[in-house]
Amino acid sequence: MRADGETLDICRWLQRVGMPSVVGSRSSSTEVLVLLQRALLAASRRPGLRRAVVGNPATRRVVDRFVPGETRDDALGAVRRLTGSGIRVTLDFLGEDVTDRAEAIRTRDAYLRLLEALEPLQLGRAAEVSMKLSACGQGLPVGGHDFAVETVRPVVEAASAMGTTVTLDMEDSRTVDSTLAAVAELRKEHPGTGAVVQAMLFRTEDDVRALAVSGSRVRLVKGAYREPPTVAFQKKKDVDAAYGRCLEILMSGPGYPMVGSHDPALIALAHELAAQNSRQADSWEVQMLYGIRPDEQQRLAAAGTQVRAYVPYGVDWYGYFMRRLAERPANVRFFLRSLATKS
Ligand SMILES: Cc1cc2nc3c(=O)[nH]c(=O)nc-3n(C[C@H](O)[C@H](O)[C@H](O)COP(=O)(O)OP(=O)(O)OC[C@H]3O[C@@H](n4cnc5c(N)ncnc54)[C@H](O)[C@@H]3O)c2cc1C
């Protein structure tokens, strides 16, 4: 099967807005989508396409599916709706790859204001926050790690004081050592601080074994970043198998597994492993992203599984959005078609 006319139009449009040619007219549809996904992941970390994507009015309604809004009030509206229907939340103030200390401090302050706004809702652990260390200065050329830990620390303290927690998102493989070290450092005083591990990385099974200790909150995800074959599985079936192995370790250990996936097979496996290990329903949870499989989130919660939605908000949605597009060919097609017809 060859690339269809619509896909080729999309590729021509991408070239017009400055993305390198990712496909030739002889590529198959599957090849085209794989190449587009790779290109989108690469673009998510570069300013190249940002202006064309963010500035295009057609983008907005696609973004709305994944991001409830740009303001704290938008986020709080989503919190009320979700918690009112039995879904817990983890809130992410969007931003990443900050290399300016003042901007990192603004990120910290945004989280502190968010926690202040959450306090009167008295949601306790039903509302926690997720933070990216790269938004807190981890990538600063000098002293980035220490600066990021000290930037996050007041947020972790404020969350603990409210009876809730912070989870440190995991970013690309070059940051894993620093991020896990930050989790270990913060856990000395705030043991509830959550870690995230990515099944696609070869190292993760070992990391999971080290993290599967009493009280340890660990979110297991497949991994959203483009990684080289030297450090990560490249095929979906290998990533899925690795996810299963990591899940077994977490579910049979004394920690608190957070199953971050929309994959029906892996969620079924999580339930099976929870039953095999005689886990109580409150000793683990499923986490999904805002706007993805919302009916399934409701169904699971109604059936007694603890479900938490990851709710991103803020103006800096570009990188997050591009990763969501890259995860699913249908999203890429839908989005690119709307751009190609409106520009
Ligand atoms: C709560 C949460 C937190 C996360 N935190 C991180 C993190 O810190 N670091 C990190 O690298 N990654 C993170 N991720 C992203 C993760 O790594 C995957 O990229 C993402 O979850 C897609 O993988 P999947 O397990 O859902 O399986 P997939 O095999 O990608 O998808 C399974 C099914 O889910 C549905 N689906 C999946 N993605 C989409 C989508 N974008 N749009 C529509 N439907 C979709 C489809 O029905 C698909 O068939 C997080 C994911 C979740 C759910």
Side-chain angles (χ1 to χ4, degrees), residues 22-49:
V22 290
V23 59
S25 58
R26 296 182 62 76
S27 309
S28 72
S29 293
T30 313
E31 282 164 353
V32 171
L33 287 170
V34 168
L35 291 168
L36 278 176
Q37 285 173 332
R38 285 192 188 153
L40 286 165
L41 276 185
S44 76
R45 303 305 291 266
R46 286 202 301 263
L49 258 188

Side-chain angles (χ1 to χ4, degrees), residues 115-129:
L115 288 170
E116 274 165 30
L118 281 171
E119 196 160 18
L121 304 184
Q122 304 244 301
L123 292 167
R125 287 196 172 219
E128 65 138 46
V129 298

Side-chain angles (χ1 to χ4, degrees), residues 132-168:
K132 285 187 174 47
L133 282 188
S134 82
C136 299
Q138 185 184 36
L140 287 170
V142 181
H145 171 83
D146 292 343
F147 180 78
V149 172
E150 293 319 312
T151 303
V152 165
R153 195 186 293 279
V155 183
V156 176
E157 284 165 356
S160 291
M162 280 170 58
T164 191
T165 48
V166 174
T167 295
L168 296 188

Side-chain angles (χ1 to χ4, degrees), residues 64-68 82 262 288-295 297 309-312 320:
D64 284 347
R65 184 179 157 199
F66 301 110
V67 179
L82 287 161
H262 315 94
M288 293 194 192
L289 300 176
Y290 175 89
I292 300 183
R293 306 196 72 205
D295 295 345
Q297 295 181 23
Y310 183 104
V311 181
Y320 179 87

Side-chain angles (χ1 to χ4, degrees), residues 7 9 77 79 81 98 108 152 160 176 188 201 241 287:
T7 308
D9 281 348
V79 169
R81 282 194 302 280
V98 165
R108 177 199 70 189
V152 165
S160 291
V176 175
K188 287 180 191 161
L201 299 183
Q287 297 190 346

